[in-house]
Amino acid sequence: MSHTIDSKAKLLVRVRRIKGQVEAIEKALAQEKDCYTVLQTIAACRGAINGLMYEIVDGHVRHHVHIPDKKLTAEQSRATQQLLDVIKSYLK
């Protein structure tokens, strides 16, 4: 079973929050808010999308790249965590 199915409810809550943030960007532009407000709203939305992206990548690596029932060696665990740490810092 896919990790996205296991986490479906939690992921959908995040997507709905992002949808609200995108709507807030549209509203800010329609209401001619100052550019600082628009930029802040875009940055918040981008952060939320990056967080969602990281969560999906993390699950993908842990559930599909590595065989879930197979115990990883210490080196594989360390390499997995290092890769996820790099991806996380890239998405920030």
Side-chain angles (χ1 to χ4, degrees):
M1 181 183 295
S2 175
H3 61 96
T4 55
I5 294 170
D6 292 341
S7 305
K8 180 180 173 179
K10 185 172 91 168
L11 293 171
L12 287 174
V13 166
R14 290 182 81 148
V15 169
R16 288 182 188 115
R17 191 175 314 124
I18 292 167
K19 181 180 174 183
Q21 289 175 314
V22 171
E23 289 170 353
I25 294 167
E26 180 182 19
K27 183 178 177 182
L29 291 169
Q31 294 177 351
E32 300 178 359
K33 298 285 184 177
D34 63 281
C35 57
Y36 177 76
T37 300
V38 175
L39 289 169
Q40 268 191 314
T41 309
I42 292 169
C45 185
R46 179 177 180 251
I49 289 172
N50 285 347
L52 175 64
M53 173 72 114
Y54 178 77
E55 189 167 342
I56 300 292
V57 168
D58 181 87
H60 183 76
V61 168
R62 295 184 191 281
H63 292 34
H64 300 293
V65 176
H66 290 293
I67 301 166
D69 298 332
K70 184 179 177 191
K71 183 159 174 55
L72 300 176
T73 66
E75 184 179 343
Q76 289 172 320
S77 291
R78 188 172 38 261
T80 298
Q81 192 57 54
Q82 288 171 340
L83 172 63
L84 292 172
D85 289 346
V86 166
I87 293 168
K88 189 175 195 174
S89 64
Y90 174 78
L91 291 171
K92 286 190 173 194

